[in-house]
Amino acid sequence: MKKALLVLSGLALFACQKEAPKEYVTLSGKILQQNSDSLLIRSADYSKTIFLKPDGTFSDTLKVSPGIYNLFDGAESTSIFLKNGYELNLSLNTEMFDESIRYEGTGAEQNNFLAQKSLKEEALLRIDDLKNISDMAALDSTLNAIKNELSTFYNANKAIDTMITNSANKSLEPMLKTYKSFIGQSITLRNELPKGAPSPMFSDFENYDGSTTSLADLAGKYVYIDVWATWCGPCKAEIPFLKALEKDYHDKNIHFVSLSIDDDRAHQKSWDKARQAWKAMIAEKELGGIQLFAPKGWQTEFIKAYKINGIPRFILIDPDGNIVSPDAPRPSSNELKTLLTELNV
């Protein structure tokens, strides 16, 4: 009896010594085709760098306040929900960044939901699809349907932390408002500069090689114009795709024109420095095609005629000098090659 009491006392003591909750997150995993030697976890008031081993594996602990953080791999980023006590294992292949993200371990359900949320939003809010909408009434109808579908998706799984669902619901209206503004501008632009209308013209723009080029000089072929600037991050992100496009369509019935709107305001109030920056980047990035410099930057008449107030902007003109699209697909979009194929370029 005495021995039995000792055993029961020991069991009771063990039961009382319940493991205290961990006051940190354990984050480990493996990154395939890594873009850098580290990951950055950050929020408005938190930042930590996690270094990757040569094989892409990593493991670290983070002491955090519960919330949604940004995980940045040096090229792309994703949202991650962290709460002390989580033990997350992440797998990611950067060649299919959003599509490949998977989590296992404590907290995995919350973070797999965030990954699925990102894919859902991307699928429903494809810019190239929305740009094909013909008028504002149709855009309103489409965005309202998207709102209902996303709202249902956000709130369907009651196991998801309310910090995540509340954040998603709160950001839904502002996000759709931004899309409406952007796509609405595209619809207005197509109405004011319709397909088949004569394109605005430019004359004697400075060429990188020291000569001058006019739009009329390019008649007889399609003209794809990339309006960009050296300080524009999204513009520079399109450069590899544009270079590949130029290679694929070499000797085809199309001119590729890059038109810089670098100006004095962006270069210490100096037009000379603007030109120097333009020429330096052309050399550094080994840019091909026809490289032109807009003489008055944003105030250039051709830029104003196409109502350009944000870059990059891509314009497609037919061999007769008529507008095909005042807001053509980007080089990185599959829609562009589809369009060029339809035109038999």
Side-chain angles (χ1 to χ4, degrees):
M1 177 63 71
K2 186 175 182 180
K3 287 182 178 180
L5 288 173
L6 287 172
V7 171
L8 289 173
S9 297
L11 290 173
L13 180 62
F14 179 78
C16 291
Q17 292 176 338
K18 185 177 180 180
E19 185 178 354
K22 294 178 180 177
E23 296 184 354
Y24 57 85
V25 175
T26 300
L27 181 62
S28 61
K30 184 170 185 177
I31 311 297
L32 298 177
Q33 310 296 328
Q34 60 203 70
N35 287 315
S36 71
D37 63 355
S38 62
L39 299 175
L40 177 62
I41 308 294
R42 61 190 177 189
S43 68
D45 53 7
Y46 180 90
S47 178
K48 182 167 185 179
T49 299
I50 301 175
F51 289 97
L52 306 177
K53 294 178 180 178
D55 65 354
T57 58
F58 66 92
S59 182
D60 209 337
T61 58
L62 306 87
K63 191 169 184 178
V64 298
S65 298
I68 299 173
Y69 292 74
N70 180 267
L71 185 153
F72 180 62
D73 82 326
E76 297 189 63
S77 63
T78 187
S79 295
I80 182 170
F81 182 72
L82 301 177
K83 182 186 284 189
N84 289 336
Y86 277 8
E87 295 183 2
L88 287 167
N89 185 273
L90 164 66
S91 61
L92 166 64
N93 186 331
T94 65
E95 289 189 347
M96 294 288 287
F97 192 93
D98 291 329
E99 294 81 0
S100 69
I101 295 172
R102 296 290 184 277
Y103 294 91
E104 295 180 349
T106 310
E109 184 175 16
Q110 313 296 325
N111 284 287
N112 285 325
F113 171 81
L114 278 177
Q116 293 159 10
K117 170 181 174 289
S118 178
L119 289 176
K120 184 83 169 177
E121 291 168 351
E122 182 180 343
L124 291 175
L125 293 166
R126 291 185 71 249
I127 292 294
D128 288 333
D129 289 342
L130 294 175
K131 277 187 175 181
N132 290 327
I133 295 174
S134 59
D135 56 59
M136 293 303 295
L139 177 61
D140 285 338
S141 177
T142 299
L143 291 179
N144 190 54
I146 290 172
K147 176 184 175 181
N148 291 336
E149 185 168 349
L150 286 177
S151 180
T152 300
F153 175 79
Y154 294 160
N155 299 292
N157 187 345
K158 300 305 179 184
I160 301 303
D161 194 292
T162 54
M163 290 185 71
I164 297 175
T165 53
N166 289 345
S167 174
N169 287 318
K170 183 178 179 181
S171 65
L172 181 55
E173 285 279 4
M175 177 175 68
L176 294 179
K177 184 177 180 180
T178 299
Y179 274 88
K180 180 177 179 178
S181 175
F182 179 74
I183 301 301
Q185 291 175 14
S186 181
I187 291 171
T188 300
L189 187 64
R190 289 201 307 271
N191 290 335
E192 295 181 357
L193 294 163
K195 182 178 180 180
S199 171
M201 302 296 284
F202 62 79
S203 298
D204 298 326
F205 279 9
E206 179 183 348
N207 200 308
Y208 174 70
D209 64 11
S211 64
T212 61
T213 298
S214 300
L215 185 56
D217 299 334
L218 308 177
K221 288 188 175 184
Y222 286 94
V223 182
Y224 183 72
I225 302 175
D226 168 16
V227 182
W228 72 296
T230 59
W231 46 261
C232 170
C235 300
K236 290 185 281 188
E238 292 294 325
I239 287 175
F241 300 99
L242 181 58
K243 291 173 72 172
L245 196 69
E246 290 170 345
K247 183 179 179 180
D248 290 344
Y249 285 83
H250 181 65
D251 290 335
K252 299 289 186 181
N253 188 36
I254 187 168
H255 293 293
F256 291 96
V257 176
S258 293
L259 178 57
S260 166
I261 58 168
D262 282 281
D263 60 13
D264 58 336
R265 293 179 301 171
H267 295 277
Q268 302 173 5
K269 299 182 180 180
S270 169
W271 280 102
D272 286 340
K273 289 182 178 179
R275 283 184 173 84
Q276 290 169 13
W278 167 59
K279 290 185 176 182
M281 183 161 289
I282 291 171
E284 176 193 345
K285 301 292 186 181
E286 299 180 337
L287 303 184
I290 301 169
Q291 297 291 331
L292 302 180
F293 189 84
K296 297 181 181 179
W298 292 97
Q299 299 306 310
T300 302
E301 287 304 315
F302 181 79
I303 299 300
K304 291 167 67 176
Y306 268 103
K307 305 182 184 303
I308 296 173
N309 52 28
I311 53 174
R313 167 80 77 80
F314 300 90
I315 299 164
L316 185 60
I317 300 167
D318 73 15
D320 297 320
N322 298 320
I323 297 169
V324 176
S325 174
D327 189 16
R330 298 184 177 201
S332 59
S333 170
N334 292 329
E335 299 292 327
L336 180 56
K337 282 194 173 182
T338 299
L339 175 58
L340 296 180
T341 298
E342 291 172 354
L343 296 170
N344 294 315
V345 173

